[in-house]
Amino acid sequence: MLTRRIIPCFDVDNGRVVKGVSFVNLRDAGDPVELASQYEEDGADELVFLDITASSDDRTSTFELIQRTAEQIFIPLTVGGGVRSPEDVRRMLESGADKVSLNTAAVENPDLIEQSANGFGSQCTVVAIDAKSTGDNQWKIFTHGGRTRTDIDVIEWAIEVTERGAGELLVTSMDSDGHKEGYDIPLLRAIRDKVRVPIIASGGAGGPEHFFFFFTSGGADAVLAASIFHFGEHSIKSVKDYLSAHGITIRPVN
Amino acid sequence: MRDVVIVDYGAGNLLSVERAVKVAGGKPIITSDPKVVASATGLIVPGVGAAADTMRNLRERGLDRVISAFIESDRPFLGVCMGMQALFDISREGGKHECLGVLGGEIVRFPEEAVVPHMGWNIVNQVSEHPIMAGIETGFHFYFVHSYFAAPTESACVIAEASYAGVNFPAVVGIGNLMATQFHPEKSGPAGLRLYQNFIDLLS
């Protein structure tokens, strides 16, 4: 049986992890490569790097980082942030990323989704969706890291990107992101009902019980989580133990 | 160090396969040269993407025949993901595409209502003995990404199975020195590395 995935996510700026971390055993908690190895050992099913480097001229550090990380880990690595062209996708994949996540650039230029899917395959083309509720079970797409509101309906967009070849969706509920109060389950459910590609739920995982609800009520295939693991409140193992005890199929931590 | 030739036919990055071979004790040689492929001791055909592209890329480079001939010679061969699907007669992915035809059967899609790709870690259950599975216990998880699977004419080639969307499908196939996995062992942690090591152990 296919297991539900737990995916730690790092925000990376100029080759360093910038969200606060408190791993006690790490020599350098800011080094993404060391963190990636630690998470792999702890039972992470995949890893996501979100590159928030401000200047797109300075992506060299990102490509080097992907390469150094890919040399260390034997689980899938997704990289997102600042991917604007098929050339960016190619460079990410050649550096060792297994999947590339498209966000703002896909909204501004939806052809990029086809270009990535046709050129490199749907399996490596992830579309990230930042959604905010406008009431009455309606959500709008936000871009530029959540700073810019669009008039695009989230459900319609999810259907469109899937038709264009996205192989997976990474859905962030901006109403719950960072609040650790649990996810916008109706949002997840509404997308799950309309598209037949895997969905990674992101935002609002504050405790093991949230993961449980994303997987059950929300129908998520995977959950992306940052701060819950980085701050050492919970380990991947403790979350997986909880899920397993509550009947969710997970890959056991060795 | 035992040489392992990895076929590069322009489909995605081969870094992770190369690295896995290295860690498992082999010396990876990445090539698209049919002569290098023909003279290999051990051969790996990896691959992601669509069947039609894969077969076109192999034919354009004159690799399809040398790969078939290599397998015919009974030297150790490992196909991964698309490199496994290409071994069968026909793929139904986006039409009807003739593949290498080394194994009898078709590549077919998961049911319409299934969430595809089948993406993530799934349990692999061994159904027959083969050295490629040495030290890999039934019930270990491996990483899959695919929307189509192999339906072999003869079930005798099936070494291990996985289950998704109500379908039991071959996760590992093999006959003698011909071996292939639907999952990505290079993305499957220690169990995947063990599989590469088992392959390299077969190279004399």
Side-chain angles (χ1 to χ4, degrees), chain B residues 158-174:
Chain B
V158 181
I159 293 167
E161 286 183 338
S163 165
Y164 182 65
V167 180
N168 284 331
F169 63 89
V172 183
V173 294

Side-chain angles (χ1 to χ4, degrees), chain A residues 1-3 5 40 45-46 70-76 93-99 118 120 123 167-168 192 196-198 221 250-252 254, chain B residues 13 15-16 19-20 23 48-49 53 109 112-123 141 143-145 163-164 185-190 193:
Chain A
M1 197 173 166
L2 183 63
T3 59
R5 292 168 282 154
E40 178 182 21
D45 295 312
E46 295 185 25
E71 275 167 15
Q72 290 300 320
I73 61 167
F74 287 101
I75 56 175
L93 296 174
E94 282 180 356
S95 300
D98 297 291
K99 301 185 240 182
N118 294 339
F120 312 103
Q123 85 291 335
E168 193 169 33
R192 174 75 296 162
R196 307 307 286 163
V197 299
D221 301 283
I250 47 91
R251 179 177 68 110
N254 294 327
Chain B
N13 85 77
L15 286 178
S16 47
R19 221 161 27 87
V23 171
V48 291
D53 296 339
R109 194 187 184 280
E112 191 60 39
E113 68 279 7
V115 169
V116 292
H118 166 226
M119 187 183 288
W121 299 80
N122 203 335
I123 287 177
H141 291 78
Y143 192 85
F144 291 81
V145 186
S163 165
Y164 182 65
E186 68 281 1
K187 290 290 150 195
S188 299
L193 291 175

Side-chain angles (χ1 to χ4, degrees), chain A:
Chain A
M1 197 173 166
L2 183 63
T3 59
R4 308 290 184 128
R5 292 168 282 154
I6 308 284
I7 309 177
C9 170
F10 314 144
D11 284 359
V12 173
D13 187 7
N14 279 310
R16 310 280 300 166
V17 173
V18 291
K19 269 198 183 166
V21 285
S22 65
F23 268 115
V24 280
N25 295 326
L26 290 184
R27 192 174 28 138
D28 177 3
D31 179 16
V33 180
E34 201 170 338
L35 264 178
S37 296
Q38 181 72 53
Y39 275 129
E40 178 182 21
E41 209 169 293
D42 289 350
D45 295 312
E46 295 185 25
L47 293 173
V48 170
F49 282 176
L50 183 62
D51 182 22
I52 58 166
T53 309
S55 165
S56 53
D57 302 335
D58 193 25
R59 295 269 169 221
T60 319
S61 63
T62 309
F63 296 125
E64 282 169 7
L65 169 63
I66 298 168
Q67 204 162 350
R68 285 198 300 129
T69 308
E71 275 167 15
Q72 290 300 320
I73 61 167
F74 287 101
I75 56 175
L77 173 65
T78 301
V79 182
V83 182
R84 308 209 173 282
S85 64
E87 176 62 16
D88 289 342
V89 176
R90 191 183 62 77
R91 286 191 67 186
M92 295 281 194
L93 296 174
E94 282 180 356
S95 300
D98 297 291
K99 301 185 240 182
V100 174
S101 167
L102 310 170
N103 193 339
T104 301
V107 175
E108 290 173 347
N109 171 27
D111 288 345
L112 180 60
I113 302 165
E114 270 112 332
Q115 286 162 349
S116 176
N118 294 339
F120 312 103
S122 285
Q123 85 291 335
C124 70
T125 305
V126 181
V127 171
I129 294 177
D130 291 344
K132 200 170 165 62
S133 170
T134 52
D136 294 338
N137 274 347
Q138 300 253 325
W139 298 267
K140 296 291 185 198
I141 296 286
F142 278 67
T143 59
H144 300 88
R147 293 188 301 275
T148 310
R149 187 197 148 135
T150 73
D151 269 331
I152 303 167
D153 178 77
V154 167
I155 310 303
E156 284 170 22
W157 178 241
I159 295 168
E160 178 178 344
V161 301
T162 310
E163 286 169 356
R164 285 178 179 270
E168 193 169 33
L169 303 182
L170 169 55
V171 182
T172 301
S173 157
M174 293 177 55
D175 299 297
S176 49
D177 192 21
H179 295 304
K180 297 193 188 173
E181 285 160 1
Y183 201 87
D184 187 340
I185 294 291
L187 164 68
L188 209 50
R189 194 71 254 170
I191 298 175
R192 174 75 296 162
D193 286 345
K194 293 290 181 187
V195 301
R196 307 307 286 163
V197 299
I199 297 173
I200 307 170
S202 158
E209 66 281 7
H210 292 145
F211 287 78
F212 178 78
F213 282 119
F214 300 178
F215 288 137
T216 50
S217 315
D221 301 283
V223 173
L224 191 80
S227 47
I228 177 175
F229 298 131
H230 295 345
F231 290 110
E233 296 160 45
H234 300 273
S235 66
I236 297 170
K237 185 176 189 313
S238 68
V239 169
K240 283 191 164 181
D241 285 347
Y242 176 93
L243 292 171
S244 186
H246 288 76
I248 305 288
T249 312
I250 47 91
R251 179 177 68 110
V253 179
N254 294 327

Side-chain angles (χ1 to χ4, degrees), chain B:
Chain B
M1 277 289 216
R2 281 170 276 194
D3 289 0
V4 177
V5 171
I6 301 167
V7 182
D8 177 7
Y9 53 95
N13 85 77
L14 305 172
L15 286 178
S16 47
V17 175
E18 182 187 18
R19 221 161 27 87
V21 166
K22 225 182 267 177
V23 171
K27 184 183 162 209
I29 299 163
I30 294 182
T31 188
S32 54
D33 183 348
K35 289 196 202 93
V36 176
V37 171
S39 62
T41 322
L43 189 66
I44 297 179
V45 176
V48 291
D53 296 339
T54 300
M55 289 313 299
R56 192 187 58 242
N57 283 329
L58 289 175
R59 286 186 190 115
E60 275 173 6
R61 290 164 175 77
L63 289 165
D64 54 331
R65 284 183 197 164
V66 284
I67 290 171
S68 297
F70 180 93
I71 293 168
E72 195 72 23
S73 74
D74 203 31
R75 282 169 284 173
F77 174 93
L78 179 65
V80 174
C81 195
M82 186 47 71
M84 164 178 167
Q85 297 193 356
L87 297 173
F88 288 84
D89 290 324
I90 280 165
S91 173
R92 298 279 175 185
E93 182 178 3
K96 185 180 175 186
H97 304 283
E98 200 180 318
C99 296
L100 296 172
V102 178
L103 293 172
E106 294 196 352
I107 304 302
V108 295
R109 194 187 184 280
F110 283 113
E112 191 60 39
E113 68 279 7
V115 169
V116 292
H118 166 226
M119 187 183 288
W121 299 80
N122 203 335
I123 287 177
V124 167
N125 293 310
Q126 195 172 345
V127 294
S128 64
E129 291 295 319
H130 194 283
I132 195 70
M133 297 297 281
I136 298 170
E137 291 166 33
T138 257
F140 272 26
H141 291 78
F142 288 86
Y143 192 85
F144 291 81
V145 186
H146 62 123
S147 300
Y148 289 74
F149 62 91
T153 323
E154 302 284 341
S155 61
C157 72
V158 181
I159 293 167
E161 286 183 338
S163 165
Y164 182 65
V167 180
N168 284 331
F169 63 89
V172 183
V173 294
I175 298 174
N177 272 335
L178 164 62
M179 293 152 270
T181 66
Q182 178 59 69
F183 51 80
H184 289 273
E186 68 281 1
K187 290 290 150 195
S188 299
L193 291 175
R194 178 63 200 257
L195 192 140
Y196 275 109
Q197 194 194 316
N198 291 342
F199 176 71
I200 290 163
D201 284 347
L202 294 171
L203 306 177
S204 44

